[in-house]
């Protein structure tokens, strides 16, 4: 079937089998391999993207379900060479080790701050419940998100 | 197109035909035409994981996820009417529910994780009829009514009649769950207890309680093949028992299973402890 998805602001069309998962469409058809696959059970969040601005697990959606919708992947966050504030905060706060979970973490974190711009540490930990990291013990991930929140609420004051 | 490297076994659903319904009538017509072969797809957060593991392999998927007409939370006088396609996140942030049915919005905020709540729907959660799910127990405790729409129109089903077996509901194969109605209760107290060991997980045991208009509804998550009303507890509270005495009856009529998370005995113990906490939190001495 023919689908058209607005990915990172650009309309992308493709001919997919109905059973094609959105993550496979992004990775294999569009070559956007920043979105990772970490599990078979919808548990790890490595595949997190935004659908209509909200975080979603792209391994648990059909590409067909995204037809006509707007999707943002990790590749769509930065503005040219300028990293998105959340990406920069992860970098500055050492919020990653191997980096496998990072695209999903960053996408989940951006969505979290959209919904709650001024979260407590507990809010961040609970808000990233859908994303697993095998390296960091989460400490610096939480620190990165809190730093980004402080920066943007500070800036808007 | 790039060639995919298959490092391991690819986990994707078996092939199916995909139909997107743009109205309730179209969805019902598709169900009528394809019968047992067809499945509705709402948020997909129960069905797609099963299809990826090939535990479900419908040959036709009828996507109702775009039926925005069925995505609403309305004050309907003596009850709140919620469209079946309303997402967990919509429930979680609804100001109407926060004042009229705080048990539901609170529990919805504890389903899975944010990504799951952005996609999963109340109707899908109820129709899936998983005894481990949170919202079926909440709707049971609140004495909700479900509206099913089929080729011959709509009918109401009491939540207490809806869950008929493990992953089985009173919906006919050609019916769509369209609306969920919850009575506007003048709640004196409510509580939602969810016991799990890992983030984002389903409850090992859960309890939803609401005390209103002189009666107490208590429902159990994961204590049998269906979501259950704790009727022995409810009767005891009605005849004046204390929270502790009523909670001692929490395992009556249950058929808890043993699995990797807990033995059935442990689940029964948890049910008694969580029901006591839940009754106490809802204000029963
Ligand atoms: C990682 C993860 C964690 C989760 N954790 C929890 C949790 O802690 N607690 C919890 O309660 N749930 C949990 N869930 C399940 C989640 O709440 C699902 O969204 C929900 O159970 C199903 O809703 P859905 O809209 O996604 O339904 P779908 O998956 O689209 O459909 C489920 C079933 O219902 C049928 N159906 C859907 N809509 C209708 C309708 N309107 N009428 C008739 N039939 C219909 C479908 O045909 C299918 O059989 C979790 C899911 C995931 C992936
Ligand atoms: S790949 Fe693990 S949740 Fe999507
Ligand atoms: S940094 Fe390695 S999995 Fe998170």
């Amino acid at each position: 079937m023919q689908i058209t998805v607005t990915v990172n602001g650009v309309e992308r069309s493709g001919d997919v089998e109905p059973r094609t998962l959105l993550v496979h469409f992004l990775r294999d058809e569009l070559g956007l391999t920043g979105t990772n696959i970490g599990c078979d059970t919808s548990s790890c969040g490595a595949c997190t993207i935004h659908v209509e601005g909200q975080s979603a697990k792209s391994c648990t959606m059909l590409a067909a379900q995204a037809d006509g919708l707007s999707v943002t992947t990790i590749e769509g966050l930065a503005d040219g060479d300028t990293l998105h504030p959340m990406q920069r905060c992860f970098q500055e706060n050492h919020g990653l080790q191997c980096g496998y979970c990072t695209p999903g973490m960053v996408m989940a974190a951006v969505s979290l701050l959209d919904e709650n711009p001024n979260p407590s540490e507990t809010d961040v930990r609970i808000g990233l419940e859908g994303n697993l990291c095998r390296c960091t013990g989460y400490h610096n991930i939480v620190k990165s998100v809190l730093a980004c929140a402080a920066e943007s609420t500070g800036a808007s004051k | 197109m790039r060639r995919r490297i298959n490092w391991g076994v690819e986990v994707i659903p078996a092939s199916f035909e995909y139909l997107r319904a743009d109205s309730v009538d179209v969805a019902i017509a598709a169900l009528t035409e394809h019968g047992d072969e067809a499945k509705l797809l709402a948020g997909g957060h129960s069905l797609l994981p099963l299809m990826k593991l090939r535990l479900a392999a419908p040959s036709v998927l009828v996507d109702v996820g775009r039926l925005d007409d069925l995505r609403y939370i309305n004050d309907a006088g003596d009850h709140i009417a919620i469209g079946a396609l309303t997402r967990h996140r919509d429930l979680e942030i609804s100001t109407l529910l926060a004042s009229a049915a705080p048990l539901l919005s609170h529990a919805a905020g504890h389903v899975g994780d944010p990504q799951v709540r952005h996609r999963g729907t109340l109707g899908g959660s109820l129709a899936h009829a998983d005894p481990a799910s949170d919202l079926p127990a909440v709707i049971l405790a609140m004495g909700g009514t479900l509206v099913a729409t089929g080729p011959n129109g709509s009918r109401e089903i009491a939540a207490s009649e809806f869950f008929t077996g493990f992953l089985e509901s009173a919906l006919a194969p050609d019916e769509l769950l369209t609306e969920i109605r919850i009575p506007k209760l003048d709640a004196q107290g409510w509580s939602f207890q969810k016991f799990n060991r890992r983030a984002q997980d389903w409850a090992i045991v859960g309890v939803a309680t609401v005390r209103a208009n002189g009666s107490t509804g208590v429902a159990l998550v994961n204590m049998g093949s269906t979501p259950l009303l704790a009727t022995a507890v409810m009767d005891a509270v009605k005849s004046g028992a204390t929270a502790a005495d009523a909670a001692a009856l929490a395992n009556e009529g249950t058929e808890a299973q043993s699995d990797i998370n807990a033995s059935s005995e442990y689940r029964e113990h948890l049910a008694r402890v969580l029901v006591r906490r839940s009754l106490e939190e809802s204000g029963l001495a």
Side-chain angles (χ1 to χ4, degrees), chain B residues 3-217:
Chain B
R3 250 199 88 67
R4 180 187 308 148
I5 305 166
N6 286 302
W7 295 109
V9 182
E10 195 101 58
V11 178
I12 55 169
S15 294
F16 53 82
E17 188 188 336
Y18 175 88
L19 303 170
R20 185 179 301 141
D22 51 18
S23 71
V24 170
D25 289 346
V26 168
I28 291 167
L31 290 179
T32 310
E33 184 187 338
H34 297 284
D36 276 355
E37 303 286 288
K39 272 260 171 212
L40 294 170
L41 179 71
H45 272 56
S46 289
L47 187 53
L48 291 176
L50 289 180
M51 289 175 63
K52 284 169 68 179
L53 298 173
R54 309 274 171 122
L55 295 172
S59 51
V60 180
L61 266 196
V62 182
D63 187 355
V64 291
R66 300 282 175 91
L67 295 184
D68 286 339
D69 288 356
L70 294 184
R71 195 173 167 195
Y72 56 82
I73 306 173
N74 291 336
D75 189 333
D78 62 343
H79 67 273
I80 309 278
I82 305 175
L85 269 295
T86 305
R87 299 186 186 170
H88 304 325
R89 174 72 185 163
D90 304 329
L91 302 173
E92 183 184 357
I93 61 172
S94 157
T95 48
L96 175 57
L97 290 183
S99 63
L103 169 61
L104 179 56
S105 50
H106 173 86
H110 285 77
V111 172
D113 54 51
Q115 290 95 317
V116 171
R117 298 196 287 273
H118 288 150
R119 306 286 319 163
T121 67
L122 176 59
S125 194
L126 294 166
H128 194 56
D130 184 342
S133 284
D134 300 313
L135 302 183
V138 168
I139 300 298
L140 260 183
M142 299 182 79
T145 302
L146 286 69
V147 181
T149 306
N152 304 317
S154 295
R155 63 184 178 118
E156 292 192 348
I157 308 169
S160 56
E161 311 274 301
F162 186 76
F163 304 104
T164 53
F166 182 68
L167 306 186
E168 282 177 9
S169 77
L171 287 174
D174 56 0
E175 279 181 323
L176 185 76
L177 180 57
T178 44
E179 188 173 276
I180 294 87
R181 297 178 181 159
I182 44 180
K184 259 202 226 159
L185 302 171
D186 187 13
Q188 295 145 293
W190 59 274
S191 168
F192 182 66
Q193 303 282 331
K194 179 172 182 176
F195 187 89
N196 58 11
R197 293 192 309 176
R198 294 181 310 191
Q200 140 202 142
D201 248 354
W202 276 261
I204 293 175
V205 173
V207 179
T209 298
V210 62
R211 296 179 61 232
N213 312 346
S215 74
T216 301

Side-chain angles (χ1 to χ4, degrees), chain A residues 1 3 17-21 24 27-31 33 37 39-45 48-49 51 54-57 59-62 64-69 104 108 111-112 115 126-132, chain B residues 1-5 9-18 20 41-46 48-49 51-54 61 63 65-66 71 87 89-90 109-110 112-119 196 198-201:
Chain A
M1 62 182 288
I3 61 167
E17 270 191 84
R19 62 172 168 168
T20 306
L21 299 172
H24 288 136
R27 289 178 57 86
D28 302 339
E29 299 280 331
L30 304 185
T33 52
I37 301 176
C39 73
D40 297 332
T41 50
S42 310
S43 323
C44 74
T48 300
I49 57 164
V51 177
Q54 288 183 317
S55 62
K57 293 177 177 177
C59 72
T60 312
M61 269 185 82
L62 302 172
Q65 285 176 289
D67 182 28
L69 301 185
S111 179
L112 169 65
E115 290 173 0
I126 293 176
L128 296 179
E129 203 174 353
N131 295 72
L132 304 181
Chain B
M1 180 192 152
R2 267 158 229 244
R3 250 199 88 67
R4 180 187 308 148
I5 305 166
V9 182
E10 195 101 58
V11 178
I12 55 169
S15 294
F16 53 82
E17 188 188 336
Y18 175 88
R20 185 179 301 141
L41 179 71
H45 272 56
S46 289
L48 291 176
M51 289 175 63
K52 284 169 68 179
L53 298 173
R54 309 274 171 122
L61 266 196
D63 187 355
R66 300 282 175 91
R71 195 173 167 195
R87 299 186 186 170
R89 174 72 185 163
D90 304 329
H110 285 77
D113 54 51
Q115 290 95 317
V116 171
R117 298 196 287 273
H118 288 150
R119 306 286 319 163
N196 58 11
R198 294 181 310 191
Q200 140 202 142
D201 248 354

